[in-house]
Coordinates of all heavy atoms in Angstrom, one line a residue:
M43 N -31.5 -13.5 24.5 CA -30.1 -13.3 24.4 C -29.5 -14.4 23.6 O -28.5 -14.2 22.9 CB -29.5 -13.2 25.8 CG -28.1 -12.8 25.8 SD -27.9 -11.1 25.3 CE -26.2 -10.9 25.5
A44 N -30.0 -15.6 23.7 CA -29.5 -16.7 23.0 C -29.7 -16.5 21.5 O -28.8 -16.9 20.7 CB -30.2 -18.0 23.4
R45 N -30.7 -15.9 21.1 CA -31.0 -15.7 19.7 C -30.0 -14.7 19.1 O -29.4 -14.9 18.0 CB -32.4 -15.2 19.5 CG -32.7 -14.9 18.0 CD -34.1 -14.3 17.9 NE -34.4 -13.9 16.6 CZ -35.1 -14.6 15.7 NH1 -35.6 -15.7 16.1 NH2 -35.3 -14.1 14.5
R46 N -29.7 -13.7 19.9 CA -28.7 -12.7 19.4 C -27.3 -13.3 19.3 O -26.6 -13.0 18.3 CB -28.6 -11.5 20.4 CG -27.6 -10.5 20.0 CD -27.7 -9.3 20.9 NE -26.6 -8.4 20.8 CZ -26.5 -7.4 19.9 NH1 -27.5 -7.3 19.0 NH2 -25.5 -6.6 19.8
S47 N -26.9 -14.1 20.2 CA -25.5 -14.7 20.1 C -25.5 -15.7 18.9 O -24.4 -15.8 18.3 CB -25.2 -15.5 21.4 OG -26.1 -16.6 21.6
S48 N -26.6 -16.3 18.5 CA -26.5 -17.2 17.3 C -26.4 -16.4 16.1 O -25.8 -16.8 15.1 CB -27.8 -18.1 17.3 OG -28.9 -17.4 17.1
V49 N -27.0 -15.2 16.0 CA -26.9 -14.4 14.9 C -25.5 -13.9 14.8 O -24.9 -13.8 13.7 CB -27.9 -13.2 15.0 CG1 -27.6 -12.1 13.9 CG2 -29.3 -13.7 14.9
L50 N -24.9 -13.5 15.9 CA -23.5 -13.0 15.8 C -22.5 -14.1 15.4 O -21.5 -13.9 14.7 CB -23.1 -12.5 17.2 CG -23.7 -11.1 17.6 CD1 -23.3 -10.7 19.0 CD2 -23.3 -10.1 16.6
A51 N -22.8 -15.4 15.8 CA -22.0 -16.5 15.5 C -22.0 -16.8 14.0 O -21.0 -17.1 13.4 CB -22.4 -17.8 16.2
R52 N -23.2 -16.6 13.4 CA -23.3 -16.8 11.9 C -22.6 -15.6 11.2 O -22.1 -15.8 10.1 CB -24.8 -16.8 11.5 CG -25.4 -18.2 11.7 CD -26.8 -18.2 11.2 NE -27.7 -17.9 12.3 CZ -28.8 -17.2 12.2 NH1 -29.2 -16.7 11.1 NH2 -29.5 -17.0 13.3
R53 N -22.5 -14.5 11.8 CA -21.8 -13.4 11.1 C -20.3 -13.3 11.4 O -19.7 -12.3 11.2 CB -22.5 -12.1 11.5 CG -23.9 -11.9 11.0 CD -24.4 -10.6 11.3 NE -25.8 -10.5 10.9 CZ -26.6 -9.5 11.3 NH1 -26.2 -8.5 12.0 NH2 -27.8 -9.5 10.8
G54 N -19.8 -14.2 12.0 CA -18.3 -14.2 12.3 C -18.0 -13.9 13.7 O -16.9 -13.5 14.0
G55 N -18.9 -14.2 14.6 CA -18.6 -14.1 16.0 C -18.7 -12.7 16.6 O -18.3 -12.4 17.7
G56 N -19.3 -11.7 15.8 CA -19.4 -10.4 16.3 C -18.2 -9.5 16.2 O -18.2 -8.4 16.6
R57 N -17.1 -10.1 15.7 CA -15.9 -9.3 15.6 C -15.9 -8.5 14.3 O -16.2 -9.1 13.2 CB -14.7 -10.2 15.6 CG -13.4 -9.5 15.7 CD -12.3 -10.5 15.7 NE -11.9 -10.5 14.2 CZ -10.8 -11.0 13.8 NH1 -10.0 -11.6 14.6 NH2 -10.6 -11.0 12.5
I58 N -15.7 -7.2 14.3 CA -15.7 -6.4 13.1 C -14.2 -6.1 12.8 O -13.5 -5.5 13.7 CB -16.5 -5.1 13.4 CG1 -18.0 -5.5 13.7 CG2 -16.4 -4.2 12.1 CD1 -18.8 -4.3 14.1
D59 N -13.8 -6.3 11.6 CA -12.5 -6.1 11.2 C -12.5 -5.1 10.0 O -13.0 -5.4 9.0 CB -11.8 -7.4 10.8 CG -10.3 -7.1 10.5 OD1 -9.7 -6.1 10.9 OD2 -9.7 -8.0 9.8
Y60 N -12.0 -3.9 10.3 CA -12.0 -2.9 9.3 C -10.7 -2.7 8.6 O -10.5 -1.8 7.8 CB -12.4 -1.5 9.8 CG -13.8 -1.5 10.3 CD1 -14.1 -1.5 11.7 CD2 -14.9 -1.4 9.4 CE1 -15.5 -1.4 12.1 CE2 -16.2 -1.4 9.8 CZ -16.5 -1.4 11.2 OH -17.8 -1.4 11.6
G61 N -9.7 -3.6 8.8 CA -8.4 -3.5 8.2 C -8.4 -3.9 6.8 O -9.4 -4.6 6.3
P62 N -7.4 -3.6 6.0 CA -7.4 -4.0 4.6 C -7.2 -5.5 4.4 O -6.5 -6.1 5.2 CB -6.2 -3.2 4.0 CG -5.3 -2.9 5.2 CD -6.2 -2.8 6.4
R63 N -7.8 -6.0 3.4 CA -7.7 -7.5 3.2 C -6.4 -7.7 2.5 O -5.7 -6.9 1.9 CB -8.8 -7.9 2.3 CG -10.2 -7.8 2.9 CD -11.2 -8.3 2.0 NE -12.5 -8.1 2.6 CZ -13.6 -7.8 1.9 NH1 -13.6 -7.8 0.6 NH2 -14.7 -7.6 2.6
R64 N -6.0 -9.0 2.5 CA -4.7 -9.3 1.9 C -4.7 -9.1 0.4 O -3.7 -8.7 -0.1 CB -4.4 -10.8 2.2 CG -3.0 -11.2 1.9 CD -2.7 -12.5 2.7 NE -1.4 -12.9 2.7 CZ -0.4 -12.3 3.3 NH1 -0.5 -11.2 4.0 NH2 0.8 -12.8 3.3
T65 N -5.8 -9.3 -0.3 CA -5.8 -9.1 -1.7 C -5.7 -7.6 -2.0 O -5.1 -7.2 -3.0 CB -7.1 -9.6 -2.3 OG1 -8.2 -9.1 -1.6 CG2 -7.2 -11.1 -2.2
D66 N -6.3 -6.7 -1.1 CA -6.2 -5.3 -1.3 C -4.7 -4.8 -1.1 O -4.3 -4.0 -1.9 CB -7.1 -4.5 -0.3 CG -8.5 -4.8 -0.5 OD1 -8.9 -5.2 -1.6 OD2 -9.3 -4.6 0.5
I67 N -4.0 -5.4 -0.2 CA -2.6 -5.1 0.0 C -1.8 -5.5 -1.2 O -0.9 -4.8 -1.6 CB -2.1 -5.7 1.3 CG1 -2.8 -5.0 2.5 CG2 -0.6 -5.6 1.4 CD1 -2.5 -5.6 3.8
G68 N -2.1 -6.7 -1.7 CA -1.4 -7.1 -2.9 C -1.6 -6.2 -4.1 O -0.7 -5.9 -4.9
T69 N -2.8 -5.7 -4.2 CA -3.1 -4.8 -5.3 C -2.4 -3.5 -5.1 O -1.9 -2.9 -6.1 CB -4.7 -4.6 -5.4 OG1 -5.3 -5.8 -5.5 CG2 -5.0 -3.7 -6.5
L70 N -2.3 -3.0 -3.9 CA -1.6 -1.8 -3.7 C -0.1 -2.0 -4.0 O 0.5 -1.0 -4.6 CB -1.7 -1.4 -2.2 CG -2.9 -0.6 -1.8 CD1 -2.9 -0.5 -0.2 CD2 -2.9 0.7 -2.4
N71 N 0.4 -3.1 -3.7 CA 1.8 -3.4 -4.0 C 2.1 -3.3 -5.5 O 3.1 -2.7 -6.0 CB 2.3 -4.7 -3.4 CG 2.3 -4.7 -1.9 OD1 2.3 -3.6 -1.3 ND2 2.2 -5.9 -1.3
V72 N 1.2 -4.0 -6.3 CA 1.4 -4.0 -7.7 C 1.2 -2.6 -8.3 O 2.0 -2.2 -9.2 CB 0.4 -5.0 -8.4 CG1 0.4 -5.0 -9.9 CG2 0.8 -6.4 -7.9
V73 N 0.2 -1.9 -7.9 CA 0.0 -0.5 -8.3 C 1.2 0.3 -8.0 O 1.6 1.1 -8.9 CB -1.3 0.1 -7.7 CG1 -1.4 1.6 -8.0 CG2 -2.5 -0.7 -8.3
G74 N 1.8 0.2 -6.9 CA 3.0 0.9 -6.5 C 4.1 0.7 -7.4 O 4.8 1.6 -7.8
V75 N 4.4 -0.6 -7.7 CA 5.5 -1.0 -8.6 C 5.3 -0.4 -10.0 O 6.2 0.1 -10.6 CB 5.8 -2.5 -8.6 CG1 6.7 -2.9 -9.6 CG2 6.2 -2.9 -7.2
V76 N 4.1 -0.6 -10.5 CA 3.7 -0.1 -11.8 C 3.9 1.4 -11.9 O 4.5 2.0 -12.9 CB 2.3 -0.5 -12.3 CG1 1.9 0.2 -13.5 CG2 2.3 -2.0 -12.5
C77 N 3.4 2.2 -10.9 CA 3.6 3.6 -10.9 C 5.1 4.0 -10.8 O 5.5 5.0 -11.4 CB 2.9 4.2 -9.7 SG 1.1 4.3 -9.9
A78 N 5.8 3.3 -10.0 CA 7.3 3.6 -9.9 C 8.0 3.3 -11.2 O 8.8 4.2 -11.6 CB 7.9 2.7 -8.8
L79 N 7.7 2.3 -11.9 CA 8.3 2.0 -13.2 C 7.9 3.0 -14.2 O 8.7 3.4 -15.0 CB 8.1 0.5 -13.6 CG 8.7 -0.5 -12.7 CD1 8.3 -1.9 -13.2 CD2 10.2 -0.4 -12.8
A80 N 6.6 3.3 -14.3 CA 6.1 4.3 -15.3 C 6.7 5.7 -15.0 O 6.9 6.4 -15.9 CB 4.6 4.3 -15.3
G81 N 6.9 5.9 -13.7 CA 7.5 7.3 -13.3 C 8.9 7.5 -13.8 O 9.3 8.7 -13.9
F82 N 9.6 6.5 -14.1 CA 10.9 6.7 -14.7 C 10.9 7.3 -16.1 O 11.8 7.9 -16.6 CB 11.7 5.4 -14.7 CG 12.3 5.0 -13.4 CD1 11.8 3.9 -12.7 CD2 13.3 5.8 -12.8 CE1 12.4 3.6 -11.5 CE2 13.8 5.5 -11.5 CZ 13.3 4.4 -10.9
F83 N 9.7 7.1 -16.8 CA 9.6 7.5 -18.2 C 8.7 8.8 -18.3 O 9.0 9.6 -19.1 CB 9.1 6.4 -19.0 CG 9.9 5.2 -18.9 CD1 9.5 4.1 -18.2 CD2 11.1 5.1 -19.6 CE1 10.3 2.9 -18.1 CE2 12.0 4.0 -19.5 CZ 11.5 2.9 -18.8
V84 N 7.6 8.8 -17.5 CA 6.7 10.0 -17.6 C 6.2 10.4 -16.2 O 6.0 9.5 -15.4 CB 5.5 9.7 -18.5 CG1 5.9 9.5 -20.0 CG2 4.7 8.5 -18.0
L85 N 6.1 11.7 -16.0 CA 5.5 12.2 -14.8 C 6.0 11.7 -13.5 O 5.3 11.3 -12.6 CB 3.9 12.0 -14.8 CG 3.2 12.7 -15.9 CD1 1.7 12.3 -15.9 CD2 3.3 14.2 -15.8
G86 N 7.3 11.6 -13.4 CA 8.0 11.1 -12.2 C 7.7 11.8 -11.0 O 7.6 11.3 -9.9
I87 N 7.5 13.1 -11.1 CA 7.2 13.9 -9.9 C 5.8 13.6 -9.3 O 5.6 13.8 -8.1 CB 7.3 15.5 -10.3 CG1 7.3 16.3 -9.0 CG2 6.1 15.9 -11.2 CD1 8.6 16.2 -8.3
L88 N 4.9 13.1 -10.1 CA 3.6 12.6 -9.6 C 3.6 11.2 -9.2 O 3.0 10.7 -8.2 CB 2.5 13.0 -10.6 CG 2.3 14.4 -10.9 CD1 1.3 14.6 -12.0 CD2 1.8 15.2 -9.6
L89 N 4.1 10.3 -10.1 CA 4.0 8.9 -9.9 C 4.9 8.4 -8.9 O 4.7 7.3 -8.2 CB 4.2 8.2 -11.3 CG 3.2 8.4 -12.3 CD1 3.6 7.7 -13.6 CD2 1.8 7.9 -11.9
G90 N 6.1 9.1 -8.6 CA 7.0 8.6 -7.6 C 6.3 8.7 -6.2 O 6.4 7.7 -5.5
P91 N 5.7 9.8 -5.8 CA 5.1 9.8 -4.5 C 3.9 8.9 -4.4 O 3.6 8.3 -3.3 CB 4.6 11.3 -4.3 CG 5.6 12.0 -5.2 CD 5.9 11.2 -6.3
V92 N 3.2 8.7 -5.5 CA 2.1 7.7 -5.5 C 2.6 6.3 -5.2 O 2.0 5.5 -4.4 CB 1.3 7.7 -6.8 CG1 0.3 6.6 -7.0 CG2 0.5 9.0 -7.0
A93 N 3.7 6.0 -5.8 CA 4.3 4.7 -5.6 C 4.8 4.5 -4.2 O 4.7 3.5 -3.6 CB 5.5 4.5 -6.6
M94 N 5.4 5.6 -3.6 CA 5.8 5.5 -2.2 C 4.6 5.4 -1.3 O 4.7 4.6 -0.3 CB 6.6 6.8 -1.8 CG 7.9 6.9 -2.5 SD 8.9 8.4 -2.3 CE 8.2 9.2 -0.9
V95 N 3.5 6.0 -1.5 CA 2.3 5.9 -0.6 C 1.8 4.5 -0.8 O 1.4 3.8 0.2 CB 1.3 6.9 -1.0 CG1 -0.1 6.6 -0.3 CG2 1.8 8.3 -0.6
C96 N 1.7 3.9 -2.0 CA 1.2 2.6 -2.2 C 2.1 1.6 -1.5 O 1.6 0.6 -0.9 CB 1.1 2.3 -3.7 SG -0.3 3.1 -4.5
G97 N 3.4 1.8 -1.6 CA 4.3 0.9 -0.9 C 4.2 0.9 0.6 O 4.2 -0.1 1.3
W98 N 4.0 2.1 1.1 CA 3.9 2.3 2.6 C 2.6 1.6 3.1 O 2.6 0.9 4.1 CB 3.9 3.8 2.9 CG 3.6 4.1 4.3 CD1 2.5 4.7 4.8 CD2 4.4 3.9 5.4 NE1 2.6 4.9 6.1 CE2 3.8 4.4 6.6 CE3 5.7 3.3 5.6 CZ2 4.3 4.3 7.8 CZ3 6.2 3.3 6.8 CH2 5.5 3.8 7.9
L99 N 1.5 1.8 2.3 CA 0.2 1.2 2.7 C 0.3 -0.3 2.5 O -0.3 -1.1 3.3 CB -0.9 1.8 1.9 CG -1.3 3.2 2.2 CD1 -2.3 3.7 1.2 CD2 -1.7 3.4 3.6
G100 N 1.0 -0.8 1.5 CA 1.2 -2.2 1.3 C 2.0 -2.9 2.4 O 1.9 -4.1 2.6
M101 N 2.9 -2.1 3.0 CA 3.7 -2.6 4.2 C 2.8 -2.6 5.4 O 3.3 -3.1 6.5 CB 4.9 -1.8 4.4 CG 6.0 -2.1 3.3 SD 7.6 -1.4 3.6 CE 7.4 0.0 4.7
G102 N 1.6 -2.1 5.4 CA 0.8 -2.1 6.6 C 1.1 -0.9 7.5 O 0.8 -1.0 8.7
R103 N 1.7 0.1 6.9 CA 2.0 1.4 7.6 C 2.9 1.2 8.8 O 2.7 1.8 9.9 CB 0.7 2.1 8.0 CG -0.1 2.5 6.8 CD -1.3 3.2 7.3 NE -2.2 2.3 8.0 CZ -3.5 2.5 8.3 NH1 -4.0 3.6 7.8 NH2 -4.2 1.6 8.9
R104 N 3.8 0.3 8.7 CA 4.8 0.1 9.8 C 6.1 -0.3 9.2 O 6.2 -0.9 8.1 CB 4.3 -1.0 10.7 CG 4.1 -2.4 10.1 CD 3.7 -3.4 11.1 NE 3.6 -4.7 10.4 CZ 2.5 -5.2 10.0 NH1 1.3 -4.7 10.3 NH2 2.5 -6.4 9.4
W105 N 7.2 -0.1 9.9 CA 8.5 -0.4 9.5 C 9.0 -1.7 10.0 O 9.9 -2.3 9.4 CB 9.5 0.7 9.9 CG 9.3 2.0 9.2 CD1 8.9 3.1 9.8 CD2 9.6 2.3 7.9 NE1 8.8 4.1 8.9 CE2 9.2 3.6 7.7 CE3 10.0 1.5 6.8 CZ2 9.4 4.3 6.4 CZ3 10.2 2.2 5.6 CH2 9.8 3.5 5.4
S106 N 8.5 -2.2 11.1 CA 8.9 -3.4 11.7 C 8.1 -4.6 11.2 O 7.0 -4.4 10.7 CB 8.9 -3.3 13.2 OG 7.5 -3.1 13.6
G107 N 8.6 -5.8 11.5 CA 7.8 -7.0 11.1 C 8.1 -7.4 9.7 O 9.0 -7.0 9.0
R108 N 7.3 -8.3 9.2 CA 7.5 -8.9 7.9 C 6.9 -8.0 6.8 O 5.8 -7.4 7.0 CB 6.7 -10.2 7.9 CG 7.0 -11.1 6.7 CD 6.5 -12.5 6.9 NE 6.6 -13.2 5.6 CZ 5.6 -13.8 5.0 NH1 4.5 -13.8 5.5 NH2 5.9 -14.4 3.8
K109 N 7.7 -7.8 5.8 CA 7.3 -6.9 4.7 C 7.2 -7.6 3.4 O 8.1 -8.4 3.0 CB 8.3 -5.7 4.6 CG 8.4 -4.9 5.8 CD 9.6 -3.9 5.6 CE 9.9 -3.3 6.9 NZ 10.4 -4.2 7.9
P110 N 6.1 -7.4 2.6 CA 6.1 -7.9 1.3 C 7.1 -7.3 0.4 O 7.4 -6.1 0.5 CB 4.7 -7.6 0.8 CG 3.9 -7.1 2.0 CD 4.9 -6.7 3.0
V111 N 7.7 -8.1 -0.5 CA 8.8 -7.6 -1.3 C 8.4 -6.5 -2.3 O 9.1 -5.5 -2.4 CB 9.4 -8.8 -2.1 CG1 10.5 -8.4 -3.1 CG2 10.0 -9.8 -1.1
L112 N 7.2 -6.7 -2.9 CA 6.7 -5.7 -3.8 C 6.5 -4.4 -3.1 O 6.7 -3.3 -3.8 CB 5.4 -6.2 -4.5 CG 5.6 -7.2 -5.6 CD1 4.3 -7.6 -6.2 CD2 6.5 -6.7 -6.7
A113 N 6.1 -4.4 -1.9 CA 5.9 -3.1 -1.2 C 7.2 -2.4 -1.0 O 7.3 -1.1 -1.2 CB 5.2 -3.4 0.2
V114 N 8.2 -3.1 -0.6 CA 9.5 -2.5 -0.4 C 10.1 -2.0 -1.7 O 10.6 -0.9 -1.8 CB 10.5 -3.5 0.3 CG1 11.9 -2.9 0.4 CG2 10.0 -3.9 1.6
V115 N 9.9 -2.7 -2.8 CA 10.4 -2.3 -4.1 C 9.6 -1.1 -4.6 O 10.2 -0.1 -5.1 CB 10.1 -3.5 -5.2 CG1 10.3 -3.0 -6.6 CG2 11.1 -4.6 -4.9
A116 N 8.3 -1.0 -4.3 CA 7.5 0.2 -4.7 C 8.0 1.4 -3.9 O 8.2 2.5 -4.5 CB 6.1 0.0 -4.5
L117 N 8.3 1.2 -2.7 CA 8.7 2.3 -1.8 C 10.1 2.9 -2.2 O 10.3 4.1 -2.4 CB 8.8 1.9 -0.3 CG 9.1 3.0 0.7 CD1 7.9 4.0 0.7 CD2 9.2 2.4 2.0
I118 N 11.0 2.0 -2.5 CA 12.4 2.4 -2.9 C 12.4 3.0 -4.3 O 13.0 4.0 -4.5 CB 13.3 1.2 -2.8 CG1 13.5 0.8 -1.3 CG2 14.7 1.5 -3.4 CD1 14.3 -0.5 -1.1
L119 N 11.8 2.3 -5.2 CA 11.7 2.9 -6.6 C 11.0 4.2 -6.7 O 11.4 5.1 -7.4 CB 11.1 1.9 -7.6 CG 12.0 0.7 -7.9 CD1 11.2 -0.2 -8.9 CD2 13.3 1.1 -8.5
G120 N 9.9 4.3 -5.9 CA 9.2 5.6 -5.8 C 10.1 6.7 -5.3 O 10.0 7.9 -5.7
A121 N 10.9 6.4 -4.2 CA 11.8 7.4 -3.7 C 12.8 7.8 -4.7 O 13.1 9.0 -4.8 CB 12.4 6.9 -2.4
I122 N 13.4 6.8 -5.3 CA 14.4 7.1 -6.4 C 13.8 8.0 -7.5 O 14.4 8.9 -8.0 CB 15.1 5.8 -6.9 CG1 15.9 5.2 -5.8 CG2 15.9 6.1 -8.1 CD1 16.3 3.8 -6.1
D123 N 12.6 7.6 -7.9 CA 11.9 8.3 -9.0 C 11.6 9.7 -8.6 O 11.9 10.6 -9.4 CB 10.6 7.5 -9.2 CG 9.9 8.0 -10.5 OD1 10.6 8.5 -11.4 OD2 8.7 7.7 -10.7
T124 N 11.2 9.9 -7.4 CA 10.9 11.3 -6.9 C 12.2 12.1 -6.8 O 12.2 13.3 -7.2 CB 10.2 11.3 -5.5 OG1 9.0 10.5 -5.6 CG2 9.9 12.7 -5.1
L125 N 13.3 11.5 -6.3 CA 14.5 12.2 -6.2 C 15.1 12.6 -7.6 O 15.5 13.7 -7.8 CB 15.6 11.3 -5.5 CG 16.9 11.9 -5.3 CD1 16.8 13.1 -4.3 CD2 17.9 10.9 -4.7
I126 N 15.0 11.7 -8.6 CA 15.5 12.0 -9.9 C 14.6 13.1 -10.5 O 15.2 14.1 -11.2 CB 15.4 10.8 -10.8 CG1 16.5 9.8 -10.4 CG2 15.6 11.1 -12.3 CD1 16.5 8.4 -11.0
A127 N 13.3 13.1 -10.3 CA 12.5 14.2 -10.9 C 12.8 15.5 -10.2 O 12.8 16.5 -10.9 CB 11.0 13.8 -10.7
L128 N 13.0 15.5 -8.9 CA 13.3 16.8 -8.3 C 14.7 17.3 -8.7 O 14.9 18.5 -8.9 CB 13.3 16.6 -6.7 CG 12.0 16.4 -6.1 CD1 12.1 16.1 -4.6 CD2 11.1 17.7 -6.3
L129 N 15.7 16.4 -8.9 CA 17.0 16.9 -9.4 C 16.9 17.4 -10.8 O 17.5 18.4 -11.2 CB 18.0 15.7 -9.4 CG 18.4 15.3 -8.0 CD1 19.3 14.1 -8.0 CD2 19.2 16.4 -7.3
Y130 N 16.0 16.8 -11.6 CA 15.8 17.3 -13.0 C 15.1 18.7 -13.0 O 15.5 19.5 -13.8 CB 14.9 16.3 -13.8 CG 14.7 16.7 -15.2 CD1 15.7 16.6 -16.1 CD2 13.4 17.2 -15.6 CE1 15.5 17.0 -17.4 CE2 13.2 17.6 -16.9 CZ 14.2 17.5 -17.8 OH 14.0 17.9 -19.1
L131 N 14.2 18.9 -12.1 CA 13.5 20.2 -12.0 C 14.4 21.3 -11.4 O 14.2 22.4 -11.7 CB 12.3 20.1 -11.2 CG 11.1 19.3 -11.8 CD1 10.0 19.2 -10.8 CD2 10.6 20.0 -13.1
A132 N 15.4 20.9 -10.6 CA 16.3 21.9 -10.0 C 17.3 22.4 -11.0 O 18.0 23.4 -10.7 CB 17.0 21.2 -8.8
Q133 N 17.5 21.8 -12.1 CA 18.5 22.3 -13.1 C 18.1 23.6 -13.7 O 17.2 24.0 -14.0 CB 18.7 21.2 -14.2 CG 19.4 20.0 -13.8 CD 19.6 19.1 -14.9 OE1 19.2 19.3 -16.0 NE2 20.3 18.0 -14.6

């Protein structure tokens, strides 16, 4: 048993964390903002929801707590982008 615990200690104490890493969240935020900005010019109906999903995942899939600024920007711009595209298609 002592040998097994030493192996787990070397591997991080046996704790398995499947959550997204901080760098992955930062990448999602940047991708969301880029999609939202590009959606104002081309394919807003597709890039707007992509930006909203990236922003939501970048916020850690929760509304409460601390939120990265880029995630909120991606979510809001993606929503505006989608709304403008839907209004344009409704004409």
Side-chain angles (χ1 to χ4, degrees):
M43 189 69 176
R45 180 182 173 104
R46 181 173 166 84
S47 64
S48 65
V49 171
L50 289 177
R52 277 185 265 143
R53 291 186 185 167
R57 192 183 89 164
I58 299 174
D59 184 20
Y60 293 108
R63 296 182 183 149
R64 192 158 189 73
T65 56
D66 296 339
I67 291 174
T69 303
L70 276 173
N71 295 339
V72 171
V73 168
V75 170
V76 168
C77 285
L79 291 176
F82 282 113
F83 303 105
V84 292
L85 296 173
I87 195 70
L88 295 175
L89 293 177
V92 169
M94 289 176 18
V95 168
C96 288
W98 174 251
L99 292 175
M101 288 189 334
R103 296 180 295 200
R104 62 178 183 256
W105 292 110
S106 62
R108 190 167 173 235
K109 298 171 194 62
V111 173
L112 283 179
V114 175
V115 168
L117 186 66
I118 292 172
L119 288 180
I122 292 170
D123 193 18
T124 304
L125 182 65
I126 290 172
L128 288 174
L129 289 174
Y130 180 74
L131 288 176
Q133 287 182 355

